[in-house]
Structures are given as structure tokens and as C-alpha cells.
Amino acid sequence: MDSTPAPGENIAVLRKARGLGQAKLARLAGISVSLLSKIEVGLRPATPPVVAALSKAMKVPTQRIYGQPFLGPSEQSDLLNDLRGAVRRHTLPKEDVPRPSQLAADVDKAMRLRSEARYLELLEMLPRLLDQATATALSAPGETGAWSQVADVYGCAYAAAHRLAQPDLADMIVARQSWAAHQTWNPEAEVATAWNLAGTYQSAGQYDDGLAIVDQAIVKYERMSESVTMATALSLGSLHLRGVVLASRHKDKSATADHLKMAKRYAEQIPTDVLWHNLTFGAENTALYELAAHVELGKPTQAAEMGDPLMQSPPTTLAPSRLGRMYIDIARAKLDVKDHTGAEEALTRAFKVSPQMAELHPMSREVIRVLFVLHQRARPVLLAMAKRTGLAV
């Protein structure tokens, strides 16, 4: 495998191509020269807010900085092109209507693969499944359940496109998901769509616009809800969790606290964490968002302290995709408090529970990059992780 340029390396290349010195770029991005210098050489991770600030300063998409980290580009490119074709011809499905029981089973399988972060297997089945689900819905206009299935499959497609660093495809998928959700009155499908739409702004580093999407969706759903039901708690709670991420990356402590408070309130209505319309919500997942918010708001010590008991007794109700993300956030917190052994242990667990997420996630790769630069080949496990993410050969 060829080594893949890391964000810090990409930042240096883009900066030089634009004739910018470190001092000028740091000033434009609102960060210190010391931080920028350390990011470029791999001594500090390029965090999402910093990437957002640098991309704005250099007038490039955030994806130009993150690059294309996934493995097997030839195979994955073919799979992504198949998915892109299915999304493009959304009203012209090439598949026949399958048996309802088979379609339901396949949709459930796709959502399971998504929750388990098994993106390659998911990609392989998505084009055909999208065509089949759409053909079924078009043959039964006005059928809420059929269109809900289409929206759910698009939700799975969004997860794959997002994680495989395809922002333009992710944007197109969200537009199609919105189309499917609006074919009938389906407020829960609209919530899932809004959650993904806000995610596209999050990926682009446009946190304030993402927060506006979340706030609009919350207001709209609250107007339609006469009482707090399980569906209400799941929908509004999930939207508030998205708000926690966006607000914390936007460094808005007040908005972060408000969204977290509401998420915890709705989590009290859920006996145990639930995966529903590709959204996970409950008390355990809310705690993971709180941990991540501490990191984003510059409180790594609190995040690391939250992470210690989670490392000892991991949540039992959460899917591998959520556990993998938890370990990545703990690793980042441990790195920030200079607990390099703890960071490596958290990353090792991320690779064990959710290998594809650990290989692809930008923060996983950034923490590995910094640890690798600091320790080079002194730690065999770290070297193995660096090779799996394309950061070493």
C-alpha cells in the first residue's frame, strides 16, 4: 500500500501552492503559528474546527485537506460509481419490485451494516437495494412505509459516502433522501434527513449553518408533536445530539450546553439506547456526545476522565460504529493530556471493534499520525495501525 498524505501534509502543500507563509495563514485562520507548524509536521492533530478555519482561509473544501484516506481505491471507486449512478437515476430504477419480505430483510441488513461500520459490504448492496426500494415505492404511491424504506436506504448511502470522503455524493444523497421523505407525510423520515443534511454542513466546517438546519428541524417537529412519545424523544433527542457536535465545534459553549441538556431530558424517556431510522439515541450515546463535546471545547482532562470508566466497562447497547467513535474520541482526549499509552490503547480497541471506521475516520488517522511521529517505529502496534491507515508503508 502506498502511504497516503495526511491532513498536515496537505495543509503545507496547499499553503505553499497559494504562496502563503505560515504566519499569514495562521493569522487568516485565527490560530497560532506554533499550532500550524506542529500540525504540518505531525506533532499536533488537525482537528475539525482547525481544518474548517484553514479551509476557509485558503478557500478550499475541507475534503482537500482531509484527502482520500480509504484503501483499495480502484475497487472502491467502482463501487462508489455504481452507487452514484443509482442515486442519479432516482426516478428510473433498473430493478423489478421484489417480494416485500425480501426487501424488508435487505433494508434491515443495510442498516445493520451501517451501524457496524462495514462500509464496503454496504456499498456492494446499495445500488441494487436503492433501485428495488424505489421501484416498490413508485408502484405504491402514497404508501408511507414504502417511502420510509427508501429514505432509510438513502440514510445508509449517506453514511457510506460520508465516511469514504465523498462530500459531493453525500450532498446528492441527502437531496434524494429529502425527496423520498416528502413523498408522504413522514415526520420521522424528515428528521433523519435533517440530521444528515446538518451533517453535510458539519463535514464542510460550516457549523453555524448546520446549527440553523438543526434548529429549524427541531421547531418544525415540535409543532407537529402534541405529546412526548417514544418517537418524539428519539427524533428530537437525535437532533439535539447533532446540535451538540455542531455547537461544540463552533465553540459555542452556551448552545452546546442547551442541546446537551435537552438531549439528556429526552434520553430519560428511552429505557435503553435504540437504533431507529439509522439514528442511535439513548442515555449511553448521549454520554458519548458529551465526552466528544468536552474535547471540542478544549476540556480534554474532563473527556479523559469520562473515558476511563468507559474503557473499563464499554456500553453494551451501542453498535460498533458508535463504540468505534467513542474509542477514537477517547484517544484524542488522551493524546491532548499527553497520555500516549492510553491513546494507543483506545485506538487499538477502535480497530478491534470497528476496523473500517478506525481506518477511515480523520481523527483516528490524525491521532495515529501524531503518535507515529512522536514514537516512530518504537511501538509495533502503532506501526501496524499506521500501515492500515496508509500513513506508513
Side-chain angles (χ1 to χ4, degrees):
M1 180 201 316
D2 294 331
S3 62
T4 306
E9 297 172 85
N10 289 334
I11 290 167
V13 170
L14 290 167
R15 174 178 62 76
K16 293 172 184 176
R18 281 154 179 74
L20 295 171
Q22 286 186 333
K24 184 172 182 179
L25 178 57
R27 184 173 69 255
L28 291 172
I31 63 175
S32 70
V33 177
S34 174
L35 175 59
L36 176 58
S37 176
K38 289 177 180 178
I39 288 173
E40 288 190 354
V41 299
L43 293 175
R44 290 284 295 275
T47 63
V50 169
V51 169
L54 289 170
S55 68
K56 183 178 181 180
M58 292 190 289
K59 295 181 173 58
V60 299
T62 55
Q63 196 50 50
R64 285 288 300 279
I65 293 177
Y66 285 126
Q68 298 284 345
F70 53 84
L71 310 181
S74 164
E75 175 190 0
Q76 292 188 29
S77 177
D78 290 343
L79 294 174
L80 286 165
N81 283 336
D82 291 342
L83 175 58
R84 188 173 282 105
V87 173
R88 184 177 293 117
R89 62 171 186 271
H90 66 294
T91 59
L92 301 169
K94 290 185 176 181
E95 298 288 336
D96 294 329
V97 176
R99 288 182 290 108
S101 59
Q102 184 60 55
L103 178 61
D106 287 345
V107 172
D108 286 343
K109 179 181 179 181
M111 291 194 290
R112 184 176 72 254
L113 290 174
R114 177 200 173 278
S115 71
E116 294 173 356
R118 293 159 61 185
Y119 303 115
L120 292 183
E121 293 172 72
L122 178 59
L123 270 181
E124 289 176 351
M125 69 178 298
L126 276 174
R128 182 169 182 267
L129 183 57
L130 268 177
D131 277 357
Q132 290 181 330
T134 304
T136 299
L138 290 173
S139 70
E143 176 56 46
T144 300
W147 285 108
S148 181
Q149 285 182 317
V150 177
D152 284 342
V153 177
Y154 274 118
C156 294
Y158 167 80
H162 166 69
R163 192 50 63 210
L164 291 169
Q166 300 291 314
D168 292 341
L169 177 57
D171 286 346
M172 184 164 61
I173 287 170
V174 170
R176 299 292 191 257
Q177 186 181 20
S178 178
W179 164 77
H182 283 87
Q183 295 302 306
T184 61
W185 189 73
N186 193 337
E188 283 70 44
E190 289 188 27
V191 165
T193 301
W195 199 88
N196 285 336
L197 177 59
T200 64
Y201 285 97
Q202 178 179 309
S203 299
Q206 298 170 350
Y207 305 129
D208 51 348
D209 290 336
L211 278 169
I213 295 296
V214 168
D215 291 340
Q216 288 175 359
I218 289 172
V219 170
K220 182 178 180 180
Y221 194 91
E222 285 178 338
R223 287 174 178 170
M224 294 187 296
S225 305
E226 296 180 355
S227 60
V228 178
T229 63
M230 177 73 79
T232 303
L234 288 166
S235 296
L236 291 174
S238 295
L239 287 171
H240 281 293
L241 289 185
R242 178 66 88 184
V244 169
V245 178
L246 289 159
S248 61
R249 291 189 180 181
H250 197 45
K251 307 303 181 186
D252 189 332
K253 295 181 180 179
S254 177
T256 301
D258 289 344
H259 280 295
L260 186 58
K261 178 181 177 181
M262 294 304 299
K264 288 181 175 180
R265 181 177 300 176
Y266 284 117
E268 293 174 355
Q269 310 296 320
I270 312 296
T272 185
D273 286 67
V274 176
L275 176 61
W276 183 76
H277 286 294
N278 288 311
L279 302 177
T280 301
F281 185 69
E284 289 189 333
N285 199 34
T286 299
L288 303 194
Y289 276 77
E290 181 175 10
L291 184 156
H294 285 319
V295 178
E296 299 295 357
L297 291 174
K299 298 185 287 185
T301 300
Q302 289 178 254
E305 290 174 352
M306 281 191 70
D308 288 337
L310 292 171
M311 290 283 286
Q312 295 174 7
S313 300
T316 58
T317 64
L318 297 181
S321 61
R322 293 306 307 145
L323 291 175
R325 181 57 193 270
M326 177 190 80
Y327 288 126
I328 291 170
D329 285 331
I330 292 174
R332 182 178 161 194
K334 293 290 187 179
L335 177 65
D336 284 349
V337 299
K338 303 188 185 313
D339 179 1
H340 297 170
T341 300
E344 183 178 321
E345 180 185 353
L347 286 172
T348 301
R349 294 199 187 187
F351 273 94
K352 183 176 181 179
V353 72
S354 187
Q356 288 186 26
M357 170 169 279
E359 291 171 3
L360 301 171
H361 198 284
M363 279 317 307
S364 171
R365 300 180 77 247
E366 278 298 273
V367 175
I368 291 169
R369 179 174 72 105
V370 173
L371 292 175
F372 189 68
V373 168
L374 291 173
H375 299 285
Q376 291 297 319
R377 299 176 183 271
R379 300 186 182 184
V381 173
L382 184 58
L383 175 59
M385 288 191 287
K387 287 182 176 180
R388 290 182 65 175
T389 55
L391 295 170
V393 294

